Amino acid sequence: VEQDGTIDFPTLGRLHVAGLTRIELENLILDKIRPAFNEELPVITISITNFSISVLGEVARPGKFTVTNERFTILDAISQAGDLTLYGKRDNIKIIRENADGSKDYIQANLNDKNIIFSPAYYLEQNDIVYVEPNDVRKRTSRIGSAETLSISVVSILISFTSLLVNILN
């Protein structure tokens, strides 16, 4: 699909397909070629060959994943990414989905809820981004940088050395 939302189809020319589902596109092509066939109509099958999603945040292997199955769920995506880490929030996973007009939808998913299968976030769409938010423990520990760690180490060594000197001199 080109940037302007069209495809170049043999004998039919350019077709505007942006925003159409697979079934809608199959029906559009079938309607356009119907006059050329007197008897049986050909079988038209549309498939997405470059379906990909990204999984970010508190997962074992974050990254972009190319998918061969068009019915790819949020559970499939998390599985591909090696599951959530111990620090991932299972009740607050965000899906960022871009609409045909360029606007973005932010959908929250709760993996602890058995009704997730009815959520609009359950089946992922082309170029969805799944973000697993870190829990409070990870957020607190991320505030401590290498400078603070070094300072704590230096202070600990100084206290130990001072304690050793006091014990030796007494």
Side-chain angles (χ1 to χ4, degrees):
V1 180
E2 300 297 329
Q3 291 287 53
D4 63 352
T6 61
I7 61 170
D8 190 18
F9 195 86
T11 68
L12 296 180
R14 295 198 77 64
L15 299 175
H16 189 268
V17 299
L20 298 179
T21 65
R22 278 186 329 98
I23 303 300
E24 290 170 339
L25 181 55
E26 287 173 4
N27 290 334
L28 173 72
I29 293 171
L30 191 60
D31 288 343
K32 296 237 183 232
I33 65 171
R34 187 180 311 266
F37 292 88
N38 296 330
E39 302 285 321
E40 283 188 45
L41 289 173
V43 175
I44 298 173
T45 305
I46 304 295
S47 64
I48 299 173
T49 58
N50 59 348
F51 187 94
S52 65
I53 52 99
S54 297
V55 183
L56 307 171
E58 289 297 327
V59 292
R61 292 183 310 274
K64 187 169 189 166
F65 301 96
T66 302
V67 179
T68 56
N69 182 2
E70 294 171 30
R71 292 193 47 91
F72 198 70
T73 68
I74 188 170
L75 300 175
D76 294 328
I78 290 171
S79 175
Q80 285 281 327
D83 202 4
L84 277 64
T85 66
L86 293 175
Y87 301 107
K89 276 185 157 180
R90 294 184 183 280
D91 61 346
N92 194 19
I93 296 175
K94 293 180 177 44
I95 289 80
I96 303 166
R97 181 170 292 161
E98 187 171 348
N99 298 315
D101 63 359
S103 65
K104 294 193 181 356
D105 286 336
Y106 300 90
I107 308 166
Q108 182 177 348
N110 180 354
L111 295 183
N112 296 329
D113 184 4
K114 67 179 179 182
N115 293 319
I116 190 169
I117 60 172
F118 302 112
S119 166
Y122 186 68
Y123 286 105
L124 298 178
E125 295 179 7
Q126 169 73 353
N127 294 325
D128 276 358
I129 299 170
V130 178
Y131 175 69
V132 179
E133 186 178 348
N135 63 18
D136 294 334
V137 172
R138 176 64 96 187
K139 286 178 188 175
R140 279 193 302 272
T141 58
S142 69
R143 291 185 197 133
I144 300 173
S146 59
E148 287 85 3
T149 305
L150 180 62
S151 301
I152 291 169
S153 298
V154 169
V155 170
S156 296
I157 290 170
L158 289 174
I159 291 172
S160 297
F161 185 70
T162 305
S163 176
L164 180 64
L165 283 177
V166 168
N167 284 334
I168 292 174
L169 295 176
N170 284 338

